[in-house]
Every structure is written in structure tokens, then in C-alpha cells.
Amino acid sequence: QVQLVESGGGLVQAGGSLTLSCAASGNILTINSTRWYHQPPGKQRESIAAIFDDLSVDYADSVKGRFTISRDTTKSTLFTLQMKKMKPDDTGIYYCRMMVVSPAGLTRIYWGRGTQVTVSP
């Protein structure tokens, strides 16, 4: 089994910054990809940032130029999402999702429980 734990959410003023972290632990051989999802109040969850095993990244247009996804240089199971120039529309729950390969060679998707981010006007 694999557990994902997000942290770093909270309240920030518009224009401010927050950094979210997602730490994976458990039965992990490698992590093929990590995605951050944003679920605004009353809306569907959507992918906003992704990083792949070759460290290539991809962003939704809504966060491009403001958010940065990265993998820790010393812990390959720790990922962060730096959020700058935040807007009230960034309010919502942020989830981490990883595609993990186990030592047995099985690939599965895991989700964290989410962390709340609130951006005040």
C-alpha cells in the first residue's frame, strides 16, 4: 500500500503565495507521474499541474506562469506545488495524485485526502 499526505494549505490574501507538499510512503519502486488537482467549491476536480518521471511538466492554462510543480532533489517521493500571484478563483481543495509502480511491477493510482486553500480578495 501507498499513502499520500498533502500539507501546506491555508488562508492567503490575493496576490500572495503558498507552497503545498505531497509526500508518498509505502510500497514504492518508482513514481511515474504526480498531478495536483484543484476542486473549487461546488465544482469538479481538475488537473492543474503534472510532473513526469523524466521531470517534464505540464500546466493548465489557468495556472501557467503562476504555479510551479517540482520534485524534491533529495527525496524522490516528495513533491511540491509553489503557488504565486494567487487569485480568489484558486480557492478550493487541492489533491495530490500519483501513478506508482510497486516493487512487484504493479502500477496503481493513489490519491491524497486533500488540503484546503482559501484566497481572500
Side-chain angles (χ1 to χ4, degrees), residues 27 29 101-106:
N27 208 24
L29 175 64
V101 181
S102 71
L106 300 175

Side-chain angles (χ1 to χ4, degrees), residues 85-97:
K85 300 177 183 177
M86 298 189 72
K87 306 173 182 179
D89 285 349
D90 296 326
T91 293
I93 302 174
Y94 285 74
Y95 296 90
C96 175
R97 188 196 89 156

Side-chain angles (χ1 to χ4, degrees), residues 23-61:
S25 62
N27 208 24
I28 300 169
L29 175 64
T30 188
I31 298 172
N32 284 349
S33 65
T34 296
R35 290 183 178 271
W36 284 96
Y37 282 72
H38 171 222
Q39 185 168 20
K43 295 185 179 179
Q44 299 272 25
R45 195 180 300 189
E46 62 174 6
S47 175
I48 57 169
I51 186 167
F52 304 94
D53 55 0
D54 62 356
L55 300 184
S56 62
V57 296
D58 190 37
Y59 298 97
D61 288 343

Side-chain angles (χ1 to χ4, degrees), residues 76-89:
S76 62
T77 57
L78 177 63
F79 296 81
T80 61
L81 182 69
Q82 281 187 308
M83 305 185 291
K84 298 180 179 180
K85 300 177 183 177
M86 298 189 72
K87 306 173 182 179
D89 285 349

